[in-house]
Amino acid sequence: MARDITLTDLAAQTGISASTLSRLEAGLRRPTLEQLLPLARVHGVTLDELVGAPPTGDPRIHLRPIPCGDGSTILPLTRRPGGVQAYKFVLAAGTDDAEPDLRTHEGHDWVYVLNGTLRLVLGEQDLLLKPGEAAEFDTSTPHWFGATGAGPVEFLSLVGRQGERAHVRAVATRD
């Protein structure tokens, strides 16, 4: 795994001596689980990825975060073609006077804020959504998502094709 890190730096981050790391790198020593765990953590990969394990036929989906150039991260939560797609967004802290770059596309979006404050500019509306709040809109309406100066924001987004919407069901409460 190519990384711009020295053996000395890697030794400091993992607690494994530089000489042991050198022998592991040269294939002169087999790694133990106690060595693999900190190496995987420092490199930001799973143990399977670190050792190049073959696929196991495990039906679980191992989702990969997509880092964006602006410091935000998108985590696709679904991988099936068509239908409603689910994503988790993590946006780095923004500035309260950020100039939104409104976009449009075909579809319908439903967002739910998990943590932080989400700034949603939707057409002429400039909304601040707090944890537990949601919004639903046609994505042909110009829109933009951003974090505020108060800190980062995490939110879920369900996006469907035009005419395909998230179905919200409510149960009547009894008095």
Side-chain angles (χ1 to χ4, degrees):
M1 170 171 300
R3 298 273 308 224
D4 292 331
I5 188 169
T6 66
L7 282 178
T8 304
D9 291 339
L10 187 58
Q13 292 180 38
T14 62
I16 303 169
S17 73
S19 62
T20 299
L21 289 170
S22 179
R23 288 192 298 272
L24 290 171
E25 185 177 47
L28 301 174
R29 182 171 175 178
R30 297 188 77 163
T32 65
L33 183 59
E34 289 78 21
Q35 294 165 333
L36 290 172
L37 290 171
L39 287 168
R41 180 185 45 76
V42 167
H43 289 295
V45 297
T46 65
L47 284 175
D48 285 347
E49 291 171 312
L50 185 67
V51 299
T56 63
D58 186 337
R60 292 175 290 188
I61 296 173
H62 301 284
L63 303 173
R64 307 248 188 287
I66 303 166
C68 300
D70 61 359
S72 62
T73 302
I74 302 170
L75 181 64
L77 300 175
T78 53
R79 284 209 173 163
R80 65 181 176 82
V84 174
Q85 299 296 311
Y87 301 91
K88 178 180 179 183
F89 286 81
V90 180
L91 307 182
T95 57
D96 293 331
D97 59 351
E99 188 62 37
D101 181 16
L102 300 174
R103 303 288 172 110
T104 63
H105 53 90
E106 184 178 315
H108 204 84
D109 199 345
W110 180 88
V111 296
Y112 178 83
V113 179
L114 298 167
N115 291 303
T117 301
L118 176 66
R119 181 176 172 208
L120 168 60
V121 177
L122 186 58
E124 299 294 320
Q125 299 178 69
D126 197 335
L127 308 166
L128 294 177
L129 301 176
K130 304 283 187 190
E133 293 186 311
E136 184 180 17
F137 59 93
D138 183 320
T139 58
S140 65
T141 302
H143 60 281
W144 175 84
F145 301 106
T148 65
V153 63
E154 296 179 52
F155 66 98
L156 299 177
S157 175
L158 299 177
V159 182
R161 295 186 311 262
Q162 189 60 35
E164 196 168 19
R165 306 173 80 174
H167 298 282
V168 179
R169 302 211 186 269
V171 177
T173 58
R174 295 179 190 198
D175 293 318

